[in-house]
Amino acid sequence: MALDARTLQNVDEALLFEAALADLARDESRLSVDLEEALSGRMNMPQGMGLFIVALTESGLRSRMDDLWNWIRERPQIDVKFIVLSDGPRSRADFRPLPDEYIHVVAPRDLQAETLRQLVDNAFYGLRLRHEKMQLQSRLALSSQELRRLTDVGQALSTERDFERLIELILHHARELVLADGGSIYVVERGRPGQKPTHLRFKKSALNLSANEFLLPIDANSIAGYVAQTTRPLVIEDVYALTGAEPYRFNFEFDRAHNYYTKSMMVIPMMDHRSDTIGVIQLINKKRTHLSRPLEVEDLKSDLIIPFTDKCVELIQALAGQAAVAIQNNLLIQDINNLFEGFVTAAVTAIEQRDPTTSGHSFRVAEFTTGLARAVDRLSAGDFAPVRFSGEQIRELRYASLLHDFGKVGVREKVLVKSKKLYDHELQLIEWRFRNVEQMVEKHYLQRKIKYLKTNGPSGFADYEQYLDEEMRVRVNEVREMLDTIRTANEPTIVAAGNFERLEEIARKRIRLPDGQSFPFLHENELLSLSVRRGNLDQQERMEIESHVSHTYRFLIQIPWTTDLSRVPDIAHGHHEKLDGSGYPMGLRGEEIALQTRMMTIADIYDALTAPDRPYKKSLTPERALDILQLEAKEAHIDGRLLQVFIESGVFKLGQENSEPWLD
């Protein structure tokens, strides 16, 4: 009988081997080694790590030392120890190149059986300890790997802001951790505050199904609903082995409808810090090993699918805890965003209600500006090719655009809504004054008629009356012409130079009252207002309107913006700056003006030009508005490169029916 190598797969087999070796040792003639068989690879070698004890004579070992060492190196998964039975005194160095660690002991050939048994026992014990150590190290490494994966998953989940992407990540990592073939995520549908949730919302499936979201009652009519109701994990080895007596139900229609076979299942609730269920992770069909190919239905019915283990439950419960925190944080961020969105909308609405004629301006400017930013973001060539905007930056730009005119809250309402050069009450006062002058003229000529009749009687009165009426008509027409001139000058248009001289002439005229007092046809403040050459605001009023930019900044800087929105005040602050430095309030030039602000400036001007008719201006066509913007670019007031993107991308068509090219 040849004693070559024996695989020690468990302790019982090892003990049998030790006993067999001891029996063989009693008959020394049977202690021979078939080294050729060992080196030829015909031995039963395991794929994984095994425990081997090989007893060889000195002559057998030394004759093929190099070949044996090569054989060992080719099998790093094999743990081998040699007991060398030598005819004479030998040291470990005599058996090189075989390393010392592979030689357990060099013993005399005439070794007693009991001693040999002890050597075998010691060698086996050492190998077993080393094997156990390696197993523990492997488990520790696996646990460390799982811990690292859970840590990585936690970090990934905590930084994801997009809710749909977060759900995808949770499901993906859950499947990867336990080698699940498929799975689904359900999230508790939030109701009104104080009300207990009654439904789960199906969010995502891992089987690439085109399933829309739907609501599922939290009850025992479904497995996910049952777990959400009981808040306890559920593991099912084979759903087709369910008896029907379970307190939950499995919907077999799913498998039939999608040509699938659900076998093993694990359903884990996601709990928040108050131990309330916020969602459910449902995993199906644990694979025995990682497979790169998709599984067929027959595979799902085979032993490639195994039950989920307690270790799987522990891992997914750990993941579910992290997922619950991430979902809660994400929902909290959504709530905060919705709250702030509502505040911004309410603030913009409140400002625009002070001036109904500009209603919708801020919302349109925000759409134009973000549309332009997205168009720039898509550019792959030109000056703006390196520019990219994240979702947070687009959101930041949108808020800055929505709130760019908020400072108008600090402008007097009468200035804000002023439509003509004179305020309504001022024009009414002037009109009253001229009506009074007209009445005084008429009264003057009536008194002359009465005086004539008293002095001369009716003789010749008809001719005299006709003369006076003609003279009165000339005087009244003069008064009315002056009032018409004032009304014309009151319009917010560019006034010809000659009109100013006529206004000054009118202002020099005075009305004399019966008591001897007199007052001018136009007061000095009225003359100043009517003398505005362009628009409808005098210098003081224009400065007050322009101050809204500074008011906006002072208001926005008070808000504790988050890091991703921290530039909102600065972006909004410069929307009236011009590239040549002639803008306000800071007189910035060129690149000193933020790119986002330059975008907003174009959007602001374009909407102001094309907005519906206002009392002080007529609406322009898009073509005419773009012509004016081109002139502004030539005069170095706005960024011509951005204007070109604004035009070529079609962003200026925003709001026109069936025309949204920037969304392509």
Side-chain angles (χ1 to χ4, degrees):
M1 176 178 179
L3 179 64
D4 41 34
R6 295 293 303 271
T7 303
L8 305 181
Q9 296 179 342
N10 52 57
V11 174
D12 293 337
E13 185 177 345
L15 293 176
L16 288 174
F17 173 68
E18 292 175 16
L21 188 61
D23 291 339
L24 290 174
R26 296 188 185 97
D27 185 358
E28 187 175 317
S29 63
R30 298 173 62 190
L31 284 175
S32 61
V33 177
D34 187 354
L35 187 59
E36 291 296 332
E37 180 181 355
L39 296 177
S40 68
R42 292 194 300 271
M43 296 171 57
N44 183 23
M45 294 299 172
Q47 296 298 321
M49 178 172 289
L51 299 178
F52 294 86
I53 300 176
V54 178
L56 300 174
T57 62
E58 175 189 358
S59 59
L61 181 65
R62 292 186 58 80
S63 63
R64 298 293 297 276
M65 196 69 63
D66 291 334
D67 292 339
L68 186 58
W69 173 230
N70 291 333
W71 178 84
I72 292 173
R73 285 189 302 179
E74 292 173 358
R75 294 163 176 79
Q77 76 275 19
I78 306 302
D79 192 2
V80 182
K81 280 288 187 180
F82 293 99
I83 296 175
V84 180
L85 303 180
S86 173
D87 295 329
R90 298 290 182 187
S91 67
R92 296 174 185 269
D94 294 328
F95 300 97
R96 291 173 181 166
L98 190 67
D100 294 351
E101 62 187 270
Y102 289 99
I103 302 176
H104 176 62
V105 67
V106 179
R109 184 173 178 78
D110 57 354
L111 191 66
Q112 296 296 318
E114 183 62 28
T115 304
L116 178 59
R117 177 182 175 84
Q118 290 296 323
L119 291 177
V120 171
D121 285 343
N122 292 340
F124 173 71
Y125 183 69
L127 285 171
R128 186 171 60 188
L129 289 179
R130 186 158 64 184
H131 180 64
E132 291 175 353
K133 176 184 176 182
M134 295 180 68
Q135 285 184 320
L136 291 174
Q137 289 176 333
S138 177
R139 292 176 185 174
L140 178 61
L142 182 60
S143 298
S144 299
Q145 181 183 11
E146 291 171 346
L147 181 60
R148 285 195 301 271
R149 289 181 66 182
L150 285 173
T151 301
D152 293 341
V153 169
Q155 291 176 344
L157 297 183
S158 65
T159 56
E160 182 56 57
R161 296 292 186 87
D162 185 283
F163 187 74
E164 299 302 323
R165 176 59 181 156
L166 174 62
I167 295 299
E168 289 181 3
L169 284 175
I170 294 172
L171 185 54
H172 170 75
H173 289 300
R175 291 175 60 218
E176 288 290 319
L177 279 174
V178 297
L179 296 180
D181 183 57
S184 302
I185 293 285
Y186 298 83
V187 177
V188 168
E189 185 78 356
R190 295 191 295 174
R192 295 180 179 178
Q195 289 185 345
K196 187 176 181 179
T198 59
H199 287 80
L200 293 172
R201 178 174 289 277
F202 169 80
K203 293 296 294 183
K204 188 67 63 176
S205 168
L207 295 175
N208 297 321
L209 303 177
S210 57
N212 296 322
E213 295 185 7
F214 60 86
L215 293 180
L216 193 70
I218 299 178
D219 56 28
N221 289 321
S222 67
I223 292 178
Y226 173 77
V227 170
Q229 185 181 54
T230 61
T231 70
R232 293 193 300 271
L234 177 64
V235 177
I236 304 174
E237 291 189 10
D238 187 348
V239 297
Y240 281 88
L242 295 175
T243 65
E246 295 81 8
Y248 47 80
R249 297 290 179 269
F250 174 72
N251 183 9
F252 294 96
E253 289 297 327
F254 174 86
D255 283 3
R256 287 191 284 268
H258 299 94
N259 192 29
Y260 193 73
Y261 187 86
T262 302
K263 190 175 182 181
S264 59
M265 179 179 291
M266 176 174 63
V267 190
I268 305 295
M270 293 184 284
M271 315 290 290
D272 65 11
H273 63 284
R274 293 187 297 268
S275 297
D276 293 332
T277 303
I278 66 169
V280 171
I281 302 175
Q282 180 173 300
L283 300 174
I284 56 178
N285 290 342
K286 174 176 172 57
K287 294 178 285 189
R288 184 180 296 276
T289 59
H290 177 76
L291 297 173
S292 58
R293 65 176 178 86
L295 297 179
E296 303 294 337
V297 173
E298 294 305 317
D299 295 329
L300 299 174
K301 296 179 180 180
S302 71
D303 60 359
L304 289 177
I305 301 301
I306 61 175
F308 290 95
T309 64
D310 292 341
K311 183 67 174 178
C312 294
V313 174
E314 293 177 4
L315 285 173
I316 300 305
Q317 280 185 316
L319 172 65
Q322 295 177 327
V325 172
I327 289 175
Q328 284 290 83
N329 288 342
N330 196 284
L331 293 176
L332 179 60
I333 290 173
Q334 286 186 28
D335 289 341
I336 294 173
N337 289 341
N338 292 337
L339 176 65
F340 191 74
E341 183 75 21
F343 161 75
V344 171
T345 301
V348 174
T349 302
I351 291 303
E352 294 193 342
Q353 283 182 344
R354 296 189 70 211
D355 183 8
T357 60
T358 62
S359 179
H361 169 71
S362 295
F363 295 103
R364 292 191 299 271
V365 169
E367 290 189 73
F368 284 131
T369 306
T370 54
L372 178 54
R374 292 188 180 98
V376 169
D377 185 74
R378 293 194 300 267
L379 295 176
S380 58
D383 295 337
F384 301 115
V387 177
R388 291 293 178 267
F389 292 106
S390 65
E392 288 78 10
Q393 289 174 315
I394 294 292
R395 181 165 165 260
E396 178 183 59
L397 181 55
R398 178 172 177 270
Y399 282 146
S401 302
L402 284 172
L403 295 169
H404 76 284
D405 276 345
F406 190 85
K408 288 181 178 179
V409 71
V411 178
R412 289 178 299 164
E413 187 169 357
K414 70 173 187 176
V415 176
L416 195 63
V417 301
K418 188 179 182 184
S419 60
K420 305 292 179 68
K421 296 179 181 179
L422 295 171
Y423 295 106
D424 290 343
H425 71 277
E426 292 179 322
L427 180 60
Q428 290 171 2
L429 181 60
I430 293 173
E431 289 175 338
W432 175 87
R433 190 183 304 149
F434 275 78
R435 282 197 299 271
N436 187 57
V437 170
E438 189 174 330
Q439 290 174 355
M440 290 176 63
V441 170
E442 292 174 351
K443 178 182 177 182
H444 170 72
Y445 283 98
L446 285 174
Q447 288 176 340
R448 289 179 63 181
K449 291 178 182 180
I450 293 172
K451 182 179 180 181
Y452 180 90
L453 288 172
K454 286 182 178 181
T455 305
N456 303 310
S459 177
F461 178 73
D463 293 335
Y464 184 70
E465 182 182 32
Q466 183 178 358
Y467 166 76
L468 291 180
D469 286 345
E470 180 63 25
E471 188 175 311
M472 181 181 69
R473 185 182 62 79
V474 173
R475 296 284 302 277
V476 169
N477 285 342
E478 183 182 356
V479 173
R480 292 176 179 175
E481 182 273 331
M482 287 189 291
L483 182 58
D484 288 341
T485 299
I486 292 172
R487 286 171 174 160
T488 300
N490 189 41
E491 295 298 322
T493 56
I494 300 176
V495 181
N499 284 18
F500 295 119
E501 297 175 359
R502 178 58 177 155
L503 289 172
E504 291 176 353
E505 181 182 338
I506 294 172
R508 287 195 295 268
K509 293 181 178 297
R510 302 186 69 84
I511 303 170
R512 188 173 302 278
L513 299 178
D515 61 3
Q517 295 184 9
S518 65
F519 57 88
F521 277 40
L522 282 175
H523 292 292
E524 184 177 357
N525 64 307
E526 297 166 341
L527 177 61
L528 289 175
S529 296
L530 291 169
S531 299
V532 172
R533 293 185 176 275
R534 185 169 185 159
N536 63 324
L537 302 175
D538 61 29
Q539 184 63 24
Q540 183 178 356
E541 291 166 339
R542 185 165 297 281
M543 291 177 62
E544 185 173 352
I545 287 290
E546 291 178 356
S547 71
H548 83 276
V549 181
S550 299
H551 292 318
T552 294
Y553 182 76
R554 283 194 293 271
F555 166 76
L556 295 179
I557 204 67
Q558 300 299 317
I559 299 176
W561 300 96
T562 54
T563 302
D564 55 330
L565 298 175
S566 60
R567 296 191 63 201
V568 167
D570 293 322
I571 294 173
H573 194 195
H575 73 275
H576 278 295
E577 299 289 350
K578 296 181 180 180
L579 297 183
D580 63 355
S582 62
Y584 62 89
M586 297 171 287
L588 300 179
R589 290 177 172 271
E591 296 298 323
E592 293 177 342
I593 308 171
L595 178 63
Q596 295 94 318
T597 302
R598 283 178 268 154
M599 294 179 181
M600 192 195 307
T601 300
I602 293 173
D604 189 37
I605 297 174
Y606 179 78
D607 185 71
L609 294 172
T610 59
D613 288 350
R614 299 177 184 178
Y616 52 86
K617 78 166 193 66
K618 292 292 183 181
S619 175
L620 299 181
T621 64
E623 293 74 18
R624 177 58 182 147
L626 293 177
D627 288 341
I628 293 176
L629 284 171
Q630 294 279 19
L631 292 175
E632 289 287 299
K634 289 180 180 179
E635 294 177 2
H637 291 165
I638 62 174
D639 193 320
R641 300 168 303 167
L642 285 176
L643 177 60
Q644 200 66 21
V645 177
F646 184 75
I647 297 172
E648 292 179 354
S649 65
V651 174
F652 72 94
K653 298 178 183 178
L654 183 61
Q656 295 183 16
E657 187 176 0
N658 300 325
S659 180
E660 295 182 341
W662 57 95
L663 297 179
D664 291 343

